[in-house]
Amino acid sequence: MEISQRDVLLGTITWWGFHALLMWMGAWHFFSRDLTDGALFASDLFAGALIGATVLSLLRLSVGCHLLRFISLIGILLVLVHLWQGKAQWGSLTDVAIWAYTFYSFGPSSWRHSLYSPLGVFGKLKT
């Protein structure tokens, strides 16, 4: 099966774009937080772990994919806890969508075999 340049471009944009979104989510936590109090919160650890796992995933290390799946499960559980407490907002739906996509995207049956990812596209390219 021959892969077109369009598929390679879409795979590359999807790969880098989604990783950029995850990095921005982690970085935005620190940009929007008041760091003058000097306290360390669980959300800081979550955001730092998200940034670290995304970097490991960009390096194509499997531990990064596993960490991103674990972080996405924690993200979904946090939204469910907020829903249980009656504190859910409309933005929570976006969070669940992002975390569910993250969980699926870094699973054993998606990025590795998907056409629209560099791993899928480059694995199917004929040289």
Side-chain angles (χ1 to χ4, degrees), residues 24-102:
W24 177 250
M25 286 173 62
W28 181 252
H29 169 78
F30 294 109
F31 292 147
S32 63
R33 181 169 132 32
D34 182 21
L35 298 174
T36 58
D37 59 1
L40 184 66
F41 298 110
S43 60
D44 296 337
L45 296 175
F46 183 80
L50 179 61
I51 292 170
T54 304
V55 168
L56 290 173
S57 177
L58 282 170
L59 295 173
R60 305 252 169 90
L61 298 174
S62 61
V63 70
C65 294
H66 295 303
L67 284 173
L68 282 173
R69 284 176 60 95
F70 181 70
I71 290 168
S72 66
L73 282 178
I74 292 173
I76 290 170
L77 290 175
L78 287 172
V79 171
L80 291 176
V81 166
H82 286 303
L83 182 65
W84 182 266
Q85 295 173 345
K87 299 177 186 175
Q89 301 172 354
W90 281 108
S92 300
L93 290 175
T94 305
D95 292 342
V96 168
I98 290 170
W99 294 128
Y101 184 74
T102 302

Side-chain angles (χ1 to χ4, degrees), residues 107-119:
S109 65
S110 55
W111 282 111
R112 204 171 305 140
H113 303 290
S114 172
L115 180 62
Y116 293 108
S117 72
L119 297 178

